[in-house]
Amino acid sequence: MKEKSEKNRKWQFTFPDPLSIAVVLSGFTLVVATLFTPFSFSENTVFWGTGLWSLLSFTTQMCMILLGGFVLASSPIIKKTLAWIASFPETPLGAYLLCFFVSALTCWLNWGMGLILGAFFCLEIGQRNKNVHFPLLVTVSYMGFLFWHGGFSGSIPLVVASREGFSYQWTQKVLPIEETLFSVLNLSIIISLLIAFTLLIIFLARRVEGAAVSVSREEIQREARGDSTKGIDKSLILLVSLILFFLSIQVSHGKFSLGLNEMNLLLILLGLIFHGQLKSYLFFAKKGCEKLVSIIVQFPIYGGIMAVIISSGLGEQISRYFVSISTPETFPVFSFLSAGLVNIFVPSGGGQWAVQAPIMIPAAKELGVPLSKAVMAIAWGDAWTNLAQPFWALPLLSIVEMKIKNIVGYCLSALVVSGTVISLILLIC
């Protein structure tokens, strides 16, 4: 047992908290931008300061998706459904694999839904199976998040699938999802990653065998407090009716698309329906607000970093460097790697595409690389380094009440495995 514990500690080394990482990245970005762009340190600092609020709308959307998901998952129906699914695995390995596949599937369908439901599924399994190593369970759930940009909510494939997308001026053609999300390349990456991650999870499960770490959190009471009334909540019925009427109008006019705003509205709608009482809904909304602190504090800092990368031209320089060393055969791989590097500083798929599209699309055309392949290489690069970037882990970690240091060792192993697999597929296909 002692030997197993010693092995396990190797995977949980000392790691700074996410806020410290954001601060260090800010300083690093300012120094690098000053050294390699025409702008002075003070000018880059102005970019950083004015960019602090560039993600304000996105921050609100992320807070709402976390809050809406929290309230929905706290409803009796979802609680019972997750508990039923969580009752199937009888061994820790079965729990890890089930948690990974549930997360991967739901993130492929919609990244917001998958990220939040995956967190609650971890809690359900962690409470039922006391032999699981909870940090590893949380990690495998987060590994499923990698699949989002190869799925239906992938921002880059969706942008290029529309003539109204801002990158149409460079592509000069619409790339339907049949050529991106349902291409042989994308499906090959997904299948290969599922196999590779299954093998990795089996390996990691053996490493932590006999070193169970239970869920360390105060159990959230699942019944509504302060709501002794029963029967029909007329205010709730009115609100639900208004939302449904609005959605029916949007659908009938062909204006409905499952973006972040629509996902948030659906989460609110389902939460209201499943709770059945406004007092119950508000009780859990107040509980969920406690999970928003890290997002509210840290996202503005990343907005500043993103502003420096874009305004100084540093992101453009990174992309141009990778283009300069590319051949038609290696261009997809270097596109993938450059996207992974840029993603560390610009943790927004749409923002990253705005940086890289003007350089990578003309380069792909010049080298004779299919645009769909270049697009998916960048999309997967954007998703890939999320395994090392705590920005997207914050909602998950907030719900399970865990620190980044508990999962970073496992995440880095997944980063290496997935990076190798994706690079090989990009070379072969």
Side-chain angles (χ1 to χ4, degrees), residues 318-340:
I318 293 173
S319 299
R320 289 191 184 281
Y321 170 73
F322 280 97
V323 169
S324 69
I325 60 175
S326 298
T327 65
E329 293 74 27
T330 61
F331 178 79
V333 176
F334 283 130
S335 297
F336 164 72
L337 295 175
S338 68

Side-chain angles (χ1 to χ4, degrees), residues 84-204:
W84 175 70
I85 299 174
S87 66
F88 283 96
E90 298 180 353
T91 64
L93 177 59
Y96 301 139
L97 291 174
L98 178 62
C99 193
F100 165 67
F101 282 106
V102 167
S103 175
L105 174 61
T106 51
C107 285
W108 182 74
L109 292 172
N110 183 277
W111 67 265
M113 176 179 66
L115 195 61
I116 303 305
L117 287 183
F120 278 95
F121 193 56
C122 283
L123 292 177
E124 290 296 339
I125 288 184
Q127 291 165 22
R128 286 176 169 272
N129 194 328
K130 301 302 181 182
N131 293 320
V132 300
H133 185 73
F134 196 62
L136 179 56
L137 188 68
V138 173
T139 303
V140 300
S141 177
Y142 188 52
M143 285 163 59
F145 183 58
L146 176 61
F147 293 84
W148 83 273
H149 225 148
F152 289 106
S153 61
S155 54
I156 295 177
L158 294 182
V159 166
V160 299
S162 170
R163 188 179 296 271
E164 285 72 37
F166 65 86
S167 58
Y168 182 78
Q169 58 182 307
W170 299 297
T171 59
Q172 292 298 303
K173 62 180 295 188
V174 171
L175 296 176
I177 60 173
E178 289 81 7
E179 296 182 20
T180 54
L181 299 182
F182 291 104
S183 65
V184 173
L185 171 68
N186 192 54
L187 295 178
S188 298
I189 290 176
I190 290 174
I191 294 171
S192 299
L193 283 176
L194 288 174
I195 295 172
F197 275 169
T198 297
L199 296 175
L200 176 62
I201 291 170
I202 293 173
F203 169 76
L204 292 176

Side-chain angles (χ1 to χ4, degrees), residues 413-427:
S413 66
L415 180 79
V416 173
V417 170
S418 57
T420 303
V421 169
I422 297 172
S423 296
L424 288 174
I425 297 299
L426 288 171
L427 281 173

